[in-house]
Amino acid sequence: MYRLLFQDGESPQSYAFEKGEVIIGRSPDCQVVLKDFGISRNHAKIVVNDTGPYIVDLNSKNGTQVNNVPVMEAPLKDGDRILLGKFLLTFTKSLEGRVVFDEAKPLHEEPGTIIRSVGELSRLLTSPSLTPRAVEAQRAASDVQEIERSNRILKVLTKVAETLIAVRPVEEVLEQVMDIVFEHVDADRGFLMLFDETRSKLVPMVIKHRNARGGEPGQISISKTIANRVVAERVSILTSDALVDPRFGSEDSIRIHGIRSAMCAPLWHKDQVIGIIHVDSPMLVNCFGLNDLDLLTALANYAAVAVERSRLNAKIVAEERKRERLARFLSPQVTSRILAASESQAMLLGAPEDREVSVLFADIVGFTSMAEKMSPAAVALFLNDYLSRMTDTVFRFEGTLDKYIGDAVMAVFGAPLDMPDHAERAIRCALEMRERLEEFNAEHKEGPKIQFRIGINSGRAVAGEIGSIAKTEYTVLGDTVNIASRLESAVAQPGSIVIGSATHALASSKFSCRSLGLFAVKGKEHEVAAFEVEACLEKEGS
């Protein structure tokens, strides 16, 4: 069993396979679909046959690399890093075949078996008996063993707490957990499994063995009955001799897999169980005691906290990256709505799609000649102030900042989120931008007084991430965009707001508009109708 690990947007993904061919590419027909413009439709394939796994480039445009070496065909080994264009995948051997669940059997209590509730351990560790005065009282009551067991666990947990709780990737945390378990528990082999919600099953993440006793195991067996009870009831279970314990499977199975002493504990945090830790000894009977079971249970609790902390940190980092990216062209309100939306809605920022929008272009009149008389530093300060005010206005009406084109602003209403009143919002935004320009000129009396032209058009447009393998940006494309640009550059006069016929049809009831007639614009065979917005007939929100 093998796996490909990769990031799909902000989410980690994996694809498991065993034999045959796995096609990787941008086409929906591929087994592994990568939504990246640098990936060819059928970019590469991984083949697994009797000689082992290898990768083949399918004449892709941007090539295939294995461990930073360009290849057309190359064998793969565990941990290899595969670069398709600029999309990184990791090839690993899956651990699933190394852990075997025996058939579930009726559960019987057997001599030499201990079942420990995690609630019992919690009470033990938080008991007042750990205070010095209570220690003396417990000693008087001949309860010294209980105290010593508590203290031993606390000493170990105090030692490992800082190591486990430090923020690191989940994979590193899991490896560290098993290292700590083997340091403090005399087990020969063991594994840690996490619950995979997408497949509703426990999946092995780490398998460890003690080389000094018996070498690396092929498979480790665990009773499905035991695992189910550990997860469902939040209990830890110890068996002194699995050969006589019917819950650990048939005698033949146990002999084959070589289990004698064994312990299994849940990875638990509060009321949630996210996995299990299993350790055993194939050679020793009565290898573990109550102290070991309590310690394993406590370590499993710390492991669960560490895993959840690592996952939460990864989620926070991913969300911050997404928020920073969205904040470049979306208002804070729209950004928050997208981040709070479902995964399908958040994907609106990915693959291009057809949307109904209104596009606004606002361009300063004669800025090029004006800038020639100013120093570069003065131009930068001037534009930063001007563009900040215009962008804030776009965001106030929940528009999307598509881009700055020199001194021009291009904004979109109706993408990436649906906006039924996109035409009205675009016009109201333009009117307020004109007011903000008057304020700007009033505050810059010593500088040049500026005017701008605004063009707005509505209709269908392709919206999504567009660009090259090196850089993509969210934008809109199509005839609707081109006409909006032509209305601004070829029809609008300084200080005027000009809209197309589609925008006029959608919002004319809210605004006083004057027909400008038909105009021939570059790139269009037929003339287009244009209207100048004179005033707003209704207050915002009425």
Side-chain angles (χ1 to χ4, degrees):
M1 183 76 74
Y2 302 95
R3 278 189 180 186
L4 285 173
L5 308 178
F6 57 95
Q7 289 282 130
D8 183 4
E10 307 294 347
S11 304
Q13 301 289 331
S14 69
Y15 181 82
F17 56 99
E18 194 164 2
K19 282 196 173 183
E21 293 186 353
V22 176
I23 307 297
I24 309 169
R26 203 175 71 249
S27 170
D29 297 329
C30 296
Q31 285 93 338
V32 178
V33 180
L34 305 179
K35 301 172 185 177
D36 186 278
F37 292 106
I39 302 296
S40 300
R41 289 184 59 82
N42 293 289
H43 196 110
K45 67 178 180 180
I46 294 178
V47 181
V48 181
N49 56 26
D50 294 338
T51 61
Y54 62 94
I55 189 167
V56 179
D57 183 82
L58 300 176
N59 297 315
S60 63
K61 180 179 179 181
N62 293 305
T64 298
Q65 297 184 38
V66 176
N67 300 326
N68 298 319
V69 177
V71 300
M72 289 302 296
E73 181 174 325
L76 293 173
K77 61 182 184 300
D78 188 31
D80 277 349
R81 296 163 65 85
I82 301 170
L83 198 64
L84 306 184
K86 289 196 172 182
F87 200 104
L88 181 64
L89 305 94
T90 302
F91 174 80
T92 67
K93 289 183 178 181
S94 173
L95 298 176
E96 290 191 46
R98 298 268 302 278
V99 175
V100 179
F101 281 97
D102 288 330
E103 181 181 353
K105 297 192 173 216
L107 193 59
H108 303 286
E109 303 299 333
E110 296 293 324
T113 296
I114 302 173
I115 298 178
R116 180 72 145 169
S117 166
V118 297
E120 293 180 58
L121 182 65
S122 298
R123 288 190 294 272
L124 175 67
L125 296 179
T126 59
S127 170
S129 64
L130 298 177
T131 66
R133 182 176 298 177
V135 167
E136 293 301 323
Q138 291 285 3
R139 280 177 177 164
S142 301
D143 231 347
V144 178
Q145 288 184 343
E146 182 94 346
I147 299 168
E148 289 178 347
R149 184 163 70 252
S150 302
N151 288 341
R152 180 200 173 208
I153 295 172
L154 286 174
K155 286 179 181 178
V156 173
L157 295 184
T158 301
K159 181 180 177 182
V160 304
E162 185 176 346
T163 303
L164 283 184
I165 301 302
V167 176
R168 297 190 310 280
V170 173
E171 294 77 11
E172 292 183 21
V173 170
L174 300 181
E175 292 283 355
Q176 185 73 51
V177 166
M178 290 306 292
D179 288 343
I180 292 171
V181 168
F182 270 62
E183 182 180 349
H184 297 283
V185 176
D186 192 26
D188 291 328
R189 57 191 188 180
F191 57 82
L192 187 152
M193 306 180 80
L194 292 183
F195 190 74
D196 186 336
E197 293 184 0
T198 60
R199 294 188 288 168
S200 298
K201 63 182 291 188
L202 288 166
V203 176
M205 305 300 294
V206 182
I207 294 178
K208 187 175 178 65
H209 63 282
R210 200 181 299 274
N211 288 324
R213 293 206 296 251
E216 182 174 1
Q219 289 183 329
I220 304 178
S221 176
I222 179 173
S223 163
K224 186 179 290 186
T225 304
I226 295 294
N228 289 344
R229 181 165 182 180
V230 166
V231 172
E233 300 182 19
R234 296 173 67 234
V235 296
S236 298
I237 298 178
L238 176 153
T239 179
S240 297
D241 191 347
L243 285 176
V244 298
D245 192 331
R247 292 168 301 171
F248 279 73
S250 67
E251 291 189 9
D252 287 342
S253 173
I254 292 301
R255 288 194 180 96
I256 290 172
H257 298 301
I259 297 176
R260 298 302 296 267
S261 300
M263 294 190 296
C264 187
L267 269 69
W268 54 283
H269 177 47
K270 297 181 179 178
D271 293 328
Q272 185 180 16
V273 175
I274 63 171
I276 62 173
I277 295 179
H278 172 97
V279 295
D280 65 39
S281 172
M283 304 175 67
L284 303 177
V285 178
N286 296 316
C287 185
F288 310 118
L290 179 59
N291 285 355
D292 297 307
L293 185 65
D294 284 345
L295 181 57
L296 182 68
T297 307
L299 288 173
N301 173 229
Y302 269 53
V305 173
V307 169
E308 290 300 297
R309 180 184 176 91
S310 179
R311 286 174 171 175
L312 178 61
N313 183 69
K315 184 178 180 181
I316 290 172
V317 170
E319 184 167 307
E320 283 302 314
R321 287 176 181 170
K322 186 184 291 185
R323 184 179 292 275
E324 289 173 5
R325 186 172 70 92
L326 296 180
R328 294 201 301 267
F329 53 88
L330 293 175
S331 69
Q333 307 96 295
V334 174
T335 296
S336 296
R337 280 157 55 190
I338 288 178
L339 292 175
S342 65
E343 186 67 7
S344 59
Q345 195 169 13
M347 287 304 293
L348 291 174
L349 297 182
E353 61 177 355
D354 194 49
R355 299 190 69 84
E356 186 74 28
V357 300
S358 288
V359 182
L360 178 153
F361 282 89
D363 193 13
I364 297 176
V365 178
F367 182 76
T368 302
S369 58
M370 187 188 310
E372 290 177 352
K373 304 171 185 177
M374 303 167 65
S375 68
V379 171
L381 289 172
F382 183 88
L383 274 183
N384 284 342
D385 189 6
Y386 165 78
L387 292 174
S388 294
R389 297 176 192 232
M390 298 302 109
T391 301
D392 288 345
T393 306
V394 170
F395 286 172
R396 198 176 89 74
F397 290 91
E398 298 190 345
T400 299
L401 176 66
D402 189 296
K403 62 175 68 70
Y404 300 124
I405 311 169
D407 60 287
V409 175
M410 176 182 171
V412 182
F413 299 82
L417 297 182
D418 289 331
M419 192 176 286
D421 59 344
H422 54 84
E424 180 184 346
R425 286 176 182 261
I427 296 174
R428 290 189 185 278
C429 177
L431 290 168
E432 187 164 311
M433 289 171 76
R434 192 159 60 184
E435 293 178 8
R436 299 288 81 78
L437 182 62
E438 292 176 2
E439 295 174 359
F440 178 85
N441 284 327
E443 294 176 17
H444 292 76
K445 294 180 180 179
E446 298 180 358
K449 184 177 181 179
I450 62 173
Q451 290 182 303
F452 60 23
R453 301 182 299 260
I454 293 182
I456 301 172
N457 192 44
S458 304
R460 307 299 295 183
V462 175
E465 295 276 6
I466 307 293
S468 69
I469 184 173
K471 181 180 179 181
T472 62
E473 62 179 18
Y474 188 84
T475 189
V476 291
L477 302 172
D479 196 48
T480 297
V481 182
N482 296 335
I483 292 177
S485 177
R486 300 290 184 261
L487 290 174
E488 176 273 310
S489 61
V491 179
Q493 298 299 310
S496 69
I497 300 170
V498 174
I499 63 175
S501 57
T503 309
H504 182 264
L506 289 169
S508 59
S509 63
K510 302 286 182 72
F511 305 93
S512 172
C513 301
R514 177 173 65 91
S515 175
L516 299 177
L518 297 174
F519 292 84
V521 297
K522 183 179 179 180
K524 295 292 293 181
E525 294 183 8
H526 304 289
E527 294 180 321
V528 298
F531 301 82
E532 182 180 357
V533 177
E534 295 181 321
C536 182
L537 298 177
E538 297 182 7
K539 291 183 179 180
E540 184 182 342
S542 62

